[in-house]
């Protein structure tokens, strides 16, 4: 698919308009605080009074009073749901290892009754409004995003994949698992056009955060970056020396902590796999005068 270079952001929404001030840094050592039981039902999405929950073998919809509207059986475990118009797209993990790892089917369901509209393939998805979705997959010569309408009909595709940011257009924080990575923050335009923004050094950045003005916060290795709506980029903070690598034992996340941003890095001990060192940096964000 064609790729176009970005010309940078407008003055009013520049990534350089933001600055990060370190408020706190804490380190703990112990067992990992995360984990999923494998059997509990999880809240995956909500729309008004409706809640979409998933657990091993099924996805269901309940209302605010706890009444079950519908249940749809599936072979694996739902891991995410995205609601658009009168449709919900549910991505799943397979309970058995396949050539695509633990990838299960992506189920396009009718939000009103749970009826299966289409069975698709993809690992990450996002809702685009009006019953439309984007769905992406990476691996085995696949690095693609597809757009589907409410009937599961393919309407567009792009050579890009990663974390999707829907709002001012459709942007992607790419994740390609290649070393060195060719990933960037990009914008997907109609007709398969990929507008290229800043390069990334991290082949697997964690899910980004989006600020109110559309600025994306990206943890690129050990660097916290801001990427503006115009795909301009600015470094907000460096958490470690430039030559420190992120290995397979490291789990990273960005999260909101009230009106602040927290960067959480969990590094597994090389000799004791149940022990983690957890660093949490808390930043206050403010716009430059």
């Amino acid at each position: 698919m064609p790729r176009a270079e970005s010309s940078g952001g407008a003055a009013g929404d520049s990534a350089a308009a933001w600055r990060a001030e370190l408020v706190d840094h804490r380190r703990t050592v112990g067992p990992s605080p995360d984990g999923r039981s494998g059997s509990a039902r999880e809240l995956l999405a909500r729309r008004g009074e409706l809640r979409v929950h998933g657990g091993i073998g099924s996805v269901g919809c309940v209302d605010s009073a706890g009444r079950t509207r519908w249940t749809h059986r599936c072979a694996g475990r739902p891991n995410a749901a995205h609601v658009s118009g009168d449709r919900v797209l549910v991505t799943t993990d397979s309970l058995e290892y396949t050539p695509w790892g633990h990838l299960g089917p992506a189920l396009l369901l009718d939000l009103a009754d749970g009826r299966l509209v289409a069975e698709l393939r993809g690992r990450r998805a996002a809702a685009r409004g009006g019953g439309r979705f984007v769905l992406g997959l990476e691996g085995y010569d696949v690095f693609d995003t597809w757009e589907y309408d409410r009937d599961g009909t393919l309407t567009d595709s792009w050579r890009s994949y990663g974390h999707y940011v829907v709002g001012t257009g459709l942007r992607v924080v790419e994740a390609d698992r290649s070393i060195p990575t060719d990933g960037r923050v990009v914008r997907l335009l109609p007709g398969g056009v990929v507008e290229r923004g800043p390069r990334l050094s991290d082949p697997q950045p964690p899910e980004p955060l989006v600020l109110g003005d559309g600025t994306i916060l990206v943890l690129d290795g050990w660097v916290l970056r801001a990427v503006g709506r115009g795909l301009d980029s600015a470094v907000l903070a460096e958490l470690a020396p430039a030559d420190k690598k992120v290995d397979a034992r490291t789990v990273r996340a960005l999260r909101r902590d009230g009106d602040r941003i927290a960067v959480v890095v969990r590094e597994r001990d090389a000799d004791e796999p149940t022990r983690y060192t957890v660093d949490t940096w808390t930043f206050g964000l403010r716009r430059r005068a």
Side-chain angles (χ1 to χ4, degrees), residues 119-135:
E119 187 173 295
L120 307 169
R121 186 181 70 170
R123 189 174 300 279
R124 289 183 182 147
R128 297 216 67 192
R132 296 179 302 147
F133 298 89
V134 288
L135 181 63

Side-chain angles (χ1 to χ4, degrees), residues 1 144-147 154-159 189 191-194:
M1 293 297 178
D144 295 278
T145 295
W146 304 278
E147 182 183 68
L154 181 67
T155 56
D156 211 338
S157 63
W158 299 267
R159 189 67 172 172
L189 301 173
V193 175
V194 179

Side-chain angles (χ1 to χ4, degrees), residues 97-103 121 123 137-142 177:
Y97 194 81
T98 72
W100 282 94
H102 288 285
L103 179 69
R121 186 181 70 170
R123 189 174 300 279
L137 184 62
E138 179 269 337
Y140 298 100
D141 297 323
V142 176
R177 289 192 294 183

Side-chain angles (χ1 to χ4, degrees), residues 22-267:
L22 181 63
V23 176
D24 185 46
H25 174 217
R26 298 185 181 185
R27 171 172 291 180
T28 61
V29 178
S32 171
D34 295 345
R36 293 164 64 175
S37 67
S39 59
R41 297 186 66 78
E42 296 180 85
L43 176 63
L44 302 177
R46 63 179 65 196
R47 161 68 66 81
E49 67 166 4
L50 300 180
R51 306 289 186 269
V52 178
H53 293 263
I56 290 179
S58 70
V59 57
C61 181
V62 301
D63 61 24
S64 56
R67 294 184 294 263
T68 299
R69 294 293 185 91
W70 51 261
T71 299
H72 182 90
R73 300 294 177 185
C74 61
R77 174 179 182 141
N79 57 56
H82 308 271
V83 178
S84 176
D86 59 351
R87 297 289 189 257
V88 55
L89 180 63
V90 181
T91 51
T92 70
D93 296 322
S94 170
L95 300 181
E96 298 181 359
Y97 194 81
T98 72
W100 282 94
H102 288 285
L103 179 69
L107 308 173
L108 181 61
L109 306 175
D110 189 303
L111 184 60
D113 58 16
R115 172 180 58 89
L116 180 65
V117 177
E119 187 173 295
L120 307 169
R121 186 181 70 170
R123 189 174 300 279
R124 289 183 182 147
R128 297 216 67 192
R132 296 179 302 147
F133 298 89
V134 288
L135 181 63
L137 184 62
E138 179 269 337
Y140 298 100
D141 297 323
V142 176
F143 188 71
D144 295 278
T145 295
W146 304 278
E147 182 183 68
Y148 296 95
D149 67 13
R150 63 186 299 277
D151 298 317
T153 301
L154 181 67
T155 56
D156 211 338
S157 63
W158 299 267
R159 189 67 172 172
S160 179
Y161 169 82
H163 300 285
Y164 301 111
V165 178
V166 178
T168 54
L170 175 60
R171 289 171 290 172
V172 185
V173 178
E174 292 187 325
D176 60 11
R177 289 192 294 183
S178 297
I179 300 177
T181 180
D182 194 37
R184 296 175 179 260
V185 181
V186 304
R187 177 178 286 107
L188 306 187
L189 301 173
V193 175
V194 179
E195 180 184 5
R196 299 189 295 179
R199 283 188 175 275
L200 300 173
S201 63
D202 191 338
Q204 284 288 292
E207 184 175 359
L209 290 178
V210 185
L211 304 181
D213 68 346
T215 299
I216 303 173
L217 298 185
V218 180
L219 186 57
D220 183 16
W222 296 96
V223 176
L224 180 63
R225 299 185 184 276
V227 180
R229 291 166 58 185
L231 299 184
D232 56 302
S233 176
V235 173
L236 298 184
E238 297 179 356
L239 307 179
D243 59 351
K244 183 174 182 178
K245 304 298 183 182
V246 177
D247 64 26
R249 296 189 299 270
T250 303
V251 179
R252 295 161 300 144
L254 291 173
R255 71 184 188 206
R256 300 186 190 278
D257 187 4
D259 59 353
R260 296 172 176 175
I261 300 298
V263 180
V264 183
V265 177
R266 296 189 295 118
E267 296 182 87

